C-alpha cells in the first residue's frame, strides 16, 4: 500500500509541477509567489549586501546619475539599500516598493539610520501608483538568467505609466553572454554515457531506448559558481544587448541567437555558460562572468558532450529562448 501511495504521490507532484510550468500565465503566477517567499528571508539579502561588486557599482552609479531633487522609485527595494543611497545622493523623495515582507526590515533600517523621505509601499510594482511623475526608476531586478525576475515586464510597466518623458532607468543597458567554458577537471560532470568506472562502460546508455525518461527535469543544464571555472575557450562577445530607455516591449528582443566562435584558448568544452553585464554608463558596469570578481549570482551552464578544442577551431551553436523570463525553457544546440 505504501509503495502504491508513494508512486501516486510522486506522479501527482510531477503532474502539478509540469502543469504549473506548462504555460506563461501559471509560470508567472508561480514565479511571483516563489519570488515573494524567497526574498522574505534574510539569507538572500545577506548574500546581496555582502556582494561588493554589485553594491559598490550601484553606489557609484547612483552617485553619478541621481540629481538633487529627483523623485525616484526603487523597484524591489529589499532591505532598502538602493533607496538609502539615492537619498544620500540628493533624491528629494524615494518610493521604496517591494511585494515581500522584507519591507518591514527596510523600514526598521531607515528609522535606525535616520533616513527620511523614503515612502515604503508593500505591493507588486504593477499595483503601484504615485501622486507625481518619476525622474528615475532605480532597480536591481536581475536574476541568474538576467530576465527571470521579470525585470523587463515590471520596469517597462512602470516606465509607461509613471516615468517622466525625460526620466531615466538606472541601470538601463544590459549584455547577455553565452560562452563556451572549460571547468576545473574535478568539477566536470560528463553525461553518464561518457563515463567509465573501474572497467564498467556506460556508453550503451547513449542509445538505450527510453533513456530520456530517466532524465529528470532540467537535465540539460546545471548551475556553477565562478571558482569551478578553468577558462573561457573564446574571446567573450555578447549575443544580446539592449537598452531599457529605448526598448518598448519585451517582444522586440530576439528569441533565437546563433554563434560561430573561434577558439582562443585550447581545452575541453564542458558547456555553454550564461552570464550578463549591467552598464550604468560607458565606464561603469559589473558582470556575472565567472572570470570577474565573484557576485551573488550563479551561472547556468548548458551541458554539452565533452570535447577537446585547439586554438583556431570553430564552435558554433544556437540558443533558443522560447520564453525569455524562464531560463528552464531555454536550450542550446551545438552546430
Ligand atoms: C534582487 S532583490 C534586490 C533587493 C535590493 N534592491 C538590493 O539591491 O539589495 C529584488 C527584490 O525585488 C522584489 N521584487 C521582485 N519583483 C518585484 C515586483 N514586481 N514588485 C515589487 N517587488 C518586487 C523582491 O521581493 C526582492 O526583494
Amino acid at each position: 500500500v505504501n509503495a502504491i501511495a508513494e508512486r501516486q504521490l510522486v506522479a501527482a507532484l510531477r503532474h502539478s509541477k509540469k502543469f504549473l510550468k506548462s504555460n506563461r500565465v501559471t509560470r508567472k503566477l508561480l514565479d511571483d509567489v516563489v519570488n515573494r517567499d524567497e526574498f522574505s528571508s534574510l539569507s538572500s539579502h545577506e548574500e546581496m549586501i555582502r556582494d561588493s561588486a554589485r553594491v559598490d557599482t550601484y553606489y557609484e552609479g547612483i552617485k553619478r546619475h541621481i540629481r538633487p531633487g529627483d523623485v525616484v522609485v526603487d523597484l524591489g527595494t529589499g532591505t532598502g539599500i538602493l533607496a538609502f543611497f539615492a537619498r544620500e545622493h540628493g533624491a528629494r523623495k524615494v518610493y521604496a516598493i517591494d511585494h515581500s515582507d522584507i519591507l518591514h526590515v527596510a523600514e526598521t533600517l531607515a528609522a535606525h539610520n535616520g533616513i527620511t523621505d523614503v515612502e515604503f509601499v508593500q505591493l507588486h510594482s504593477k499595483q503601484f501608483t504615485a501622486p507625481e511623475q518619476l525622474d528615475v526608476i532605480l532597480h536591481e531586478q536581475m536574476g541568474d538568467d538576467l530576465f527571470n525576475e521579470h525585470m523587463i515586464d515590471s520596469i517597462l510597466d512602470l516606465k509607461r505609466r509613471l516615468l517622466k518623458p525625460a526620466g531615466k532607468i538606472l541601470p538601463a543597458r544590459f549584455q547577455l553572454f553565452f560562452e563556451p567554458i572549460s571547468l576545473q577537471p574535478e568539477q566536470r560532470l560528463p553525461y553518464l554515457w561518457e563515463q567509465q568506472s573501474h572497467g564498467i562502460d556506460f556508453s550503451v546508455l547513449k542509445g538505450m531506448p527510453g533513456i530520456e525518461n530517466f532524465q529528470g527535469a532540467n537535465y540539460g543544464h546545471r548551475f556553477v559558481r565562478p571558482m569551478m571555472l578553468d577558462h573561457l575557450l573564446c574571446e567573450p562577445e555578447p549575443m544580446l544587448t539592449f537598452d531599457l530607455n529605448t526598448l518598448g516591449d519585451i517582444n522586440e528582443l530576439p528569441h533565437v541567437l546563433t554563434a560561430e566562435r573561434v577558439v582562443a584558448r585550447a581545452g575541453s568544452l564542458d558547456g555553454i555558460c550564461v552570464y550578463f553585464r549591467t552598464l550604468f554608463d560607458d565606464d561603469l558596469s559589473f558582470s556575472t562572468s565567472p572570470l570577474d570578481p565573484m557576485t551573488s549570482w550563479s551561472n547556468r551552464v548548458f551541458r554539452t558532450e565533452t570535447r577537446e578544442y585547439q586554438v583556431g577551431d570553430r564552435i558554433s551553436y544556437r540558443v533558443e529562448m522560447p520564453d525569455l523570463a524562464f531560463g528552464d525553457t531555454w536550450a542550446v544546440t551545438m552546430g
Side-chain angles (χ1 to χ4, degrees):
V1 173
N2 274 349
I4 294 172
E6 192 181 310
R7 266 208 302 278
Q8 283 174 341
L9 182 63
V10 170
L13 286 173
R14 274 201 192 136
H15 182 76
S16 41
K17 254 194 187 162
K18 217 167 147 186
F19 166 74
L20 285 169
K21 293 190 170 182
S22 66
N23 72 72
R24 253 166 237 261
V25 178
T26 48
R27 275 202 298 263
K28 170 84 168 78
L29 272 174
L30 178 66
D31 248 22
D32 281 345
V33 172
V34 170
N35 185 281
R36 222 173 25 240
D37 180 56
E38 184 185 328
F39 285 111
S40 290
S41 91
L42 288 183
S43 47
S44 54
H45 295 280
E46 282 162 0
E47 278 191 45
M48 290 188 291
I49 297 293
R50 188 207 55 174
D51 175 352
S52 53
R54 184 189 87 100
V55 174
D56 296 355
T57 313
Y58 266 92
Y59 188 84
E60 180 60 26
I62 287 168
K63 190 168 145 196
R64 285 188 195 182
H65 296 288
I66 298 238
R67 283 185 304 247
D70 275 351
V71 177
V72 176
V73 66
D74 178 15
L75 166 51
T77 199
T79 55
I81 186 86
L82 306 183
F84 305 157
F85 293 168
R87 280 285 294 132
E88 181 188 336
H89 291 106
R92 170 167 65 81
K93 169 90 189 237
V94 183
Y95 295 94
I97 61 174
D98 203 296
H99 58 174
S100 86
D101 289 341
I102 198 70
L103 206 70
H104 303 298
V105 170
E107 283 173 313
T108 303
L109 288 172
H112 176 72
N113 287 280
I115 296 163
T116 56
D117 295 307
V118 177
E119 187 172 324
F120 296 96
V121 189
Q122 186 167 12
L123 278 180
H124 187 280
S125 58
K126 292 221 166 152
Q127 271 116 41
F128 173 71
T129 53
E132 58 200 319
Q133 291 257 292
L134 308 166
D135 297 293
V136 180
I137 297 172
L138 175 63
H139 69 95
E140 196 281 75
Q141 292 277 291
M142 291 90 79
D144 291 326
D145 304 314
L146 182 56
F147 305 115
N148 59 301
E149 265 198 66
H150 302 277
M151 167 180 97
I152 296 193
D153 189 36
S154 300
I155 293 170
L156 293 186
D157 165 67
L158 283 184
K159 175 176 148 184
R160 273 190 291 268
R161 294 189 295 113
L162 296 171
L163 192 64
K164 286 181 182 167
K168 285 188 262 200
I169 295 170
L170 197 64
R173 288 161 55 194
F174 297 89
Q175 300 176 332
L176 185 62
F177 295 78
F178 293 83
E179 288 298 325
I181 56 164
S182 198
L183 292 170
Q184 301 273 345
E186 67 281 6
Q187 302 292 352
R188 290 186 183 141
L189 184 59
Y191 289 115
L192 198 50
W193 54 83
E194 294 181 278
Q195 301 195 34
Q196 300 240 349
S197 184
H198 298 275
I200 304 297
D201 175 12
F202 291 82
S203 63
V204 64
L205 296 180
K206 188 167 180 183
M208 178 184 152
I211 187 69
E212 61 283 357
N213 298 327
F214 294 89
Q215 300 174 348
N218 305 328
Y219 180 68
H221 68 249
R222 57 194 285 235
F223 281 88
V224 303
R225 301 290 289 156
M227 58 282 208
M228 297 162 75
L229 181 88
D230 194 78
H231 63 279
L232 301 185
L233 279 94
C234 308
E235 286 308 328
E237 242 177 64
M239 285 182 70
L240 181 61
T241 61
F242 61 94
D243 184 335
L244 290 174
N245 285 313
T246 50
L247 189 77
D249 190 280
I250 191 167
N251 292 319
E252 290 168 22
L253 296 176
H255 290 248
V256 176
L257 309 167
T258 52
E260 170 83 37
R261 311 290 296 280
V262 178
V263 174
R265 280 163 297 271
S268 117
L269 172 70
D270 295 311
I272 305 292
C273 176
V274 182
Y275 68 86
F276 62 84
R277 177 172 293 281
T278 301
L279 296 94
F280 288 77
D281 52 50
D282 286 344
D283 56 18
L284 183 67
S285 71
F286 70 92
S287 104
T288 60
S289 162
L291 288 181
D292 283 352
M294 196 164 101
T295 67
S296 41
W297 285 273
S298 296
N299 298 105
R300 185 188 291 265
V301 169
F302 290 94
R303 299 172 70 191
T304 55
E305 287 197 336
T306 310
R307 204 187 126 182
E308 288 296 321
Y309 282 88
Q310 301 307 321
V311 173
D313 286 350
R314 285 178 185 274
I315 305 181
S316 52
Y317 46 99
R318 175 185 164 91
V319 178
E320 283 170 79
M321 303 179 290
D323 188 340
L324 287 176
F326 293 92
D328 288 357
T329 67
W330 300 2
V332 170
T333 316
M334 301 308 290

